[in-house]
Amino acid sequence: MNIELIERDYRRWAKCRTEWYSFEEFINSKYISDGVHTIQLGKTTFELFSSGHPFNNNQYENIPVFFSGAVSRRDKLIPPFFSGLSLGKDLGVPFIAISDPLVDQHSQIGLAWYTGSVDHWFQGLLAKFFQQLNIKKHKKFFFVGGSGGGFAALYQSPRNPTISSCLTWNPQTSIFKYWENHVKKYLRYAGIPGSILEKKNWIEDTRNWTSRKIAFDLQSPDKIFRNNKLLYLQNKSDWHVQEHLEPWLGNKEWTAQGAKGPKIFAHDSMHIIVQADFAEGHAPVPTPTILNALRSLIVDNNSVDQTVNKLLDQK
C-alpha cells in the first residue's frame, strides 16, 4: 500500500506545531504547549490538536476528545482535519481533537473510522496512548463524535474503563453496514487486496485476511457499562436505527421507556441511549444540543439521566 505525499496546512489550526518522535516522548514531557502535535505512534503518524493546556491544566479532570466524521470534498481539501474546535471553545474547557491518519494520508477517502491500516493497528495503539496519558498526566477522557467519529468514540471508551466517558450521535456500530462503495474504497487504502473485495463473501474474507487486526464492529454494549458515562443520541428517522443501533443494542441490559415520542434505553443513570427527532435522517444532531449535553456532563458534572431530562425539556 502506497502512502501519498500529501501537502499539509497547519496555519488554519494554530500558530504552533510540535513534532514528537514517539508517543513516550509526548506523554513524558513536563509541559505540552497548545497547538498541533505531530506524534509518531508505532508505524504511523497522527495529528493531535490541543487547546486550553489540557495536559497541564488541573482545573478539569475530564478532557473532551473530539473525533471527526466524514470529510466531504476530501480531494479538494488539505489535511489535517480536526472537529469539535468550536464546541470546545464554547464550553470553555481544555480539549483535544484528533485527525484520522488514514484520511490524512489518502486524498480519495473522507472516512476511515480511525482504524488505521492493516499494518499499523492504530486502534489499539491509540487506546494505549490514552491509557498512558492517564497514568502520566492523571487525566480522564470524554470521547466525543458523531457518525464515523462516533464509531471511534465508542471503540475507545470501553477500552479505557474507569478513565473515560462517551457522547455520541448517529454512530456506525459496524463499518461493514455503511455504504458498500465507501467501505470498499476505504478498505483498499487500509491495505485489503482488491481480489478479496471482489469476492462474493468479501466481508467474511476481509475479516479472515486481516486476522482481526482491525476491529470493524464495536464490542457489545455490556463492555461500555464499565466506563463512567455514556450518552448515545440517535435520530429516529435515520437509517442507522435499523442497521446500526438495534443490532448493537440487542435485548439485554437495557430498560426501554417511552412508547411515543423519544425512546429511552437506560442501563442505569449513567448509561443511556435516546432515540428522538433531533434532526432529519442522518443529519448531525444540532450543535446547541451537543453543546448543552457536554456542558451538563462535563462542566456541571451531572449524571446522564439528569442531562437527558434537560435535553428533552429543551426540545
Side-chain angles (χ1 to χ4, degrees):
M1 180 185 62
N2 295 321
I3 296 176
E4 299 174 48
L5 297 177
I6 291 181
E7 178 185 1
R8 305 263 172 153
D9 182 7
Y10 300 103
R11 296 168 297 176
R12 61 192 175 118
W13 302 113
K15 294 180 180 179
C16 176
R17 183 176 79 93
T18 308
E19 290 191 52
W20 305 86
Y21 295 103
S22 69
F23 86 94
E24 290 88 359
E25 181 189 18
F26 179 84
I27 62 177
N28 287 323
S29 176
K30 292 183 178 180
Y31 181 80
I32 300 174
S33 63
D34 277 348
V36 176
H37 301 272
T38 303
I39 304 170
Q40 188 69 32
L41 188 62
K43 296 180 181 180
T44 193
T45 300
F46 78 105
E47 312 277 10
L48 179 150
F49 175 89
S50 67
S51 176
H53 303 287
F55 308 109
N56 306 102
N57 188 323
N58 295 321
Q59 183 178 358
Y60 294 97
E61 182 183 34
N62 288 285
I63 304 301
V65 180
F66 294 102
F67 294 99
S68 299
V71 178
S72 58
R73 301 188 303 116
R74 168 65 188 88
D75 59 330
K76 300 183 183 301
L77 299 175
I78 300 176
F81 307 103
F82 299 112
S83 294
L85 274 62
S86 295
L87 282 169
K89 291 175 181 177
D90 287 343
L91 275 176
V93 302
F95 68 91
I96 66 177
I98 296 177
S99 188
D100 189 319
L102 203 61
V103 174
D104 287 353
Q105 293 164 2
H106 301 288
S107 61
Q108 299 305 309
I109 54 172
L111 180 60
W113 293 274
Y114 289 84
T115 67
S117 70
V118 175
D119 297 327
H120 293 160
W121 199 55
F122 183 69
Q123 290 170 310
L125 289 171
L126 193 60
K128 182 180 178 182
F129 176 77
F130 288 117
Q131 291 161 11
Q132 292 300 310
L133 275 177
N134 171 259
I135 293 171
K136 295 290 185 178
K137 304 298 182 183
H138 310 292
K139 298 296 181 182
K140 295 182 179 180
F141 304 98
F142 216 112
F143 297 115
V144 183
S147 193
F151 178 92
L154 284 168
Y155 176 89
Q156 291 296 331
S157 194
R159 283 165 176 79
N160 293 275
T162 74
I163 70 168
S164 75
S165 299
C166 182
L167 170 64
T168 184
W169 55 96
N170 305 330
Q172 284 94 57
T173 61
S174 172
I175 293 174
F176 289 124
K177 291 183 179 180
Y178 197 64
W179 301 110
E180 182 176 324
N181 59 331
H182 290 276
V183 173
K184 286 186 173 180
K185 181 182 286 188
Y186 139 76
L187 289 172
R188 288 188 179 93
Y189 288 101
I192 312 303
S195 57
I196 289 178
L197 300 178
E198 293 168 2
K199 293 182 178 180
K200 181 179 180 180
N201 298 321
W202 64 276
I203 293 178
E204 192 58 33
D205 287 344
T206 296
R207 294 188 199 278
N208 294 334
W209 190 86
T210 60
S211 301
R212 314 288 171 172
K213 292 180 181 178
I214 294 177
F216 298 109
D217 305 283
L218 294 178
Q219 290 180 312
S220 60
D222 62 298
K223 302 295 184 183
I224 208 168
F225 298 153
R226 296 176 297 168
N227 79 345
N228 296 317
K229 298 177 181 180
L230 167 68
L231 178 53
Y232 182 137
L233 305 178
Q234 178 63 63
N235 296 343
K236 288 180 69 173
S237 58
D238 184 1
W239 62 275
H240 282 52
V241 172
Q242 293 76 30
E243 294 295 327
H244 293 274
L245 172 59
E246 291 178 353
W248 182 75
L249 185 63
N251 298 314
K252 300 178 181 179
E253 309 291 349
W254 301 92
T255 300
Q257 306 169 14
K260 295 182 180 180
K263 287 185 178 180
I264 298 175
F265 302 91
H267 175 261
D268 51 48
S269 64
M270 292 296 188
H271 300 84
I272 297 177
I273 296 171
V274 182
Q275 185 179 324
D277 292 320
F278 295 110
E280 286 295 319
H282 193 56
V285 171
T287 299
T289 301
I290 301 299
L291 182 60
N292 288 337
L294 287 171
R295 183 173 287 118
S296 176
L297 293 166
I298 296 176
V299 179
D300 300 333
N301 198 27
N302 287 324
S303 64
V304 178
D305 60 350
Q306 289 174 317
T307 300
V308 169
N309 289 334
K310 286 186 175 183
L311 294 181
L312 296 181
D313 285 344
Q314 293 164 359
K315 281 184 62 63

